[in-house]
Amino acid sequence: AEASAPGKKKVKTVASTFRASLAQLIDKLNKAEPHFIRCIKPNQAKVPNQFEPTIVMDQLNCSGVFEAVRIRQSGFASRVPFPDFLARYRTVVPKSVTKEIRGKPEADGVKILLEALPEALTSVGGYDPNDIIMGTSKVFCRSRVMNLLDKLRDMMLSGFVIDIQRVWRGYSVRKMMKGCQAIYKELDAWIETNNFYQSPGATALAKWKTPEAVEAEFERLKPIAEKAQALPLKMPREKELDKLTHRMHQEVKCFQDMQGVATSLDPLDIERLVSRAKDLELAALSEVASLEGRLAALKIQLPLVEAMQNTLKGENGEVFLEDCEEVLGEVAKAGLKDSTGNWISELAGATLLETLLTKIAELKEARRKEEEAEAAAAAAAAAEAAAAEEAKRKEQ
């Protein structure tokens, strides 16, 4: 009990504290929406992760859970407000009905929807019209009908999802193809610009003139080819492009090799490259003509240079005039005696020819002196013989 006196402050007692706490608890309960949870023991030991079906079934039967469920299902277990019912289940009826519902008051919309449900639910087995009742602000449904509505709704949503996927995939593919077409146009334009080898002599070097210009075309192709290969579709005209670029690479390599043997003294290397250039239809290039001229000159001048070297070396160190004159005759026959500028500079043929001419002049001078000496000796011998003959004649 509370003890108080006039003019004094009230003192809290155990009873007053209990009443205040109870009042607060009742206030909270009145404000709350109670939900009753029935606990089922999965096993007698009350340990986790161990389930005993017999014990659980006995508890469900004895506690009346199944009976409560059956009672619930026998009545109108679902009570859905008009806005929620329209928002959730208007997808199960045809689009014409959905358009008719749009803009109508909620009660009228629900009425139109309920009228269209029997035909819509025939695809999932149909239902008893008495299983759905329209109230003042809610729609009352039995569990069986709600299951059918949810099943049909899932089916309709699956169709909508497929439509969305179809539209999105179509958009994605069209967008991808648009990008592919742009890249393929660049590739086709490059191939048309470099569309060689359609007629004899139509080569990359014939059009671009220099290997550097051909290499520049390769550099222009690289980013286009990389983008085309990164696409999900197979690159069109791939074989044609590979064949074209391979041939262009061969031309560039052949041209560079020809530049490398421009001062070569090996006729076999030059002949091999000239033959390769002709196979690649590069015979019209000035470099090929220059190599052919050098090859022809080497075939003539190499034996002459070797002959002059051997002649000037002599046999056992002795050089003969006849051999020199014979070699000089071969040089003159080749038209190189008076045209020293036609000699290949790397062979030093002009220098050897000058040395040969000098040697011939020396040998001729030596022979002339020898002949003069022989003539003088012969004259002296003749004079001596004549003097001896004259002396003998006088003695007689």
Side-chain angles (χ1 to χ4, degrees):
E2 289 188 12
S4 62
K8 290 186 178 182
K9 187 178 178 180
K10 291 182 179 181
V11 180
K12 284 187 178 181
T13 63
V14 176
S16 63
T17 304
F18 176 77
R19 279 199 299 270
S21 177
L22 182 60
Q24 291 177 359
L25 177 60
I26 292 173
D27 185 55
K28 286 183 180 179
L29 291 174
N30 290 333
K31 291 179 180 179
E33 294 182 2
H35 295 276
F36 298 97
I37 300 174
R38 190 181 298 274
C39 297
I40 304 296
K41 292 190 295 183
N43 54 76
Q44 293 292 356
K46 299 182 182 180
V47 296
N49 301 323
Q50 183 176 339
F51 185 83
E52 298 178 7
T54 306
I55 295 175
V56 172
M57 184 60 71
D58 290 341
Q59 292 179 79
L60 291 174
N61 286 324
C62 295
S63 62
V65 172
F66 289 147
E67 188 64 24
V69 170
R70 279 193 292 270
I71 293 172
R72 179 76 173 173
Q73 288 179 345
S74 63
F76 294 96
S78 299
R79 302 176 179 99
V80 187
F82 287 168
D84 295 343
F85 190 82
L86 286 172
R88 183 172 179 82
Y89 297 113
R90 66 183 177 183
T91 57
V92 303
V93 295
K95 291 182 179 180
S96 58
V97 178
T98 304
K99 290 180 180 179
E100 186 179 354
I101 293 173
R102 191 177 296 124
K104 295 285 182 69
E106 292 178 350
D108 295 339
V110 171
K111 186 176 181 181
I112 296 171
L113 179 58
L114 292 177
E115 291 175 353
L117 279 182
E119 183 179 354
L121 290 174
T122 53
S123 60
V124 290
Y127 75 104
D128 185 353
N130 294 323
D131 289 343
I132 297 181
I133 297 176
M134 179 179 173
T136 305
S137 60
K138 295 182 179 180
V139 177
F140 297 85
C141 304
R142 298 186 189 276
S143 298
R144 179 177 178 277
V145 178
M146 291 301 296
N147 292 335
L148 293 176
L149 284 172
D150 287 333
K151 181 178 180 181
L152 183 59
R153 179 176 177 273
D154 291 341
M155 292 170 58
M156 298 301 295
L157 289 179
S158 298
F160 295 150
V161 169
I162 292 172
D163 289 340
I164 293 172
Q165 289 176 342
R166 174 177 53 80
V167 173
W168 169 251
R169 287 171 181 168
Y171 167 77
S172 300
V173 171
R174 285 190 295 272
K175 184 178 180 181
M176 179 196 68
M177 288 304 300
K178 188 175 181 180
C180 292
Q181 288 173 353
I183 296 173
Y184 292 158
K185 283 181 180 178
E186 292 182 35
L187 193 62
D188 290 340
W190 189 91
I191 293 177
E192 293 303 323
T193 303
N194 297 277
N195 191 18
F196 313 118
Y197 319 118
Q198 301 301 316
S199 59
T203 63
L205 285 171
K207 179 175 181 178
W208 300 114
K209 307 303 181 184
T210 64
E212 290 77 15
V214 178
E215 292 287 354
E217 285 299 303
F218 285 134
E219 292 301 321
R220 193 167 69 86
L221 172 65
K222 279 183 180 179
I224 302 174
E226 288 175 358
K227 289 189 289 186
Q229 290 173 350
L231 294 175
L233 300 179
K234 184 178 180 181
M235 185 168 64
R237 306 178 72 177
E238 184 175 5
K239 291 184 178 179
E240 180 183 354
L241 183 64
D242 289 343
K243 184 178 179 181
L244 180 63
T245 52
H246 178 69
R247 179 74 177 269
M248 291 172 70
H249 276 298
Q250 285 184 319
E251 285 188 33
V252 171
K253 186 177 185 305
C254 183
F255 188 90
Q256 292 171 344
D257 290 343
M258 286 193 295
Q259 289 179 326
V261 300
T263 58
S264 174
L265 298 178
D266 189 346
L268 293 178
D269 285 346
I270 297 176
E271 188 173 9
R272 177 179 57 81
L273 279 175
V274 169
S275 175
R276 179 60 178 157
K278 290 181 178 179
D279 290 340
L280 293 173
E281 301 180 5
L282 301 177
L285 295 178
S286 59
E287 288 77 8
V288 177
S290 176
L291 284 180
E292 286 181 324
R294 185 179 181 84
L295 177 62
L298 282 173
K299 287 182 177 180
I300 294 173
Q301 294 181 23
L302 275 175
L304 293 177
V305 168
E306 185 178 358
M308 286 191 291
Q309 289 174 340
N310 293 334
T311 300
L312 290 173
K313 188 184 297 183
E315 184 177 350
N316 298 324
E318 185 177 358
V319 180
F320 297 99
L321 177 63
E322 291 76 9
D323 295 339
C324 293
E325 289 179 338
E326 183 180 356
V327 172
L328 183 62
E330 293 295 328
V331 173
K333 186 178 179 181
L336 296 171
K337 180 180 179 182
D338 300 322
S339 303
T340 55
N342 293 335
W343 283 97
I344 296 174
S345 59
E346 291 80 8
L347 289 174
T351 303
L352 284 172
L353 177 60
E354 184 179 351
T355 304
L356 181 65
L357 290 173
T358 302
K359 191 67 176 178
I360 290 174
E362 291 176 355
L363 291 173
K364 283 184 177 180
E365 180 65 20
R367 177 169 290 187
R368 184 184 66 76
K369 289 181 178 180
E370 184 180 347
E371 288 177 352
E372 287 180 355
E374 288 178 355
E384 185 179 350
E389 185 65 28
E390 180 64 25
K392 186 178 179 180
R393 186 178 61 75
K394 287 180 178 183
E395 289 177 358
Q396 293 179 352

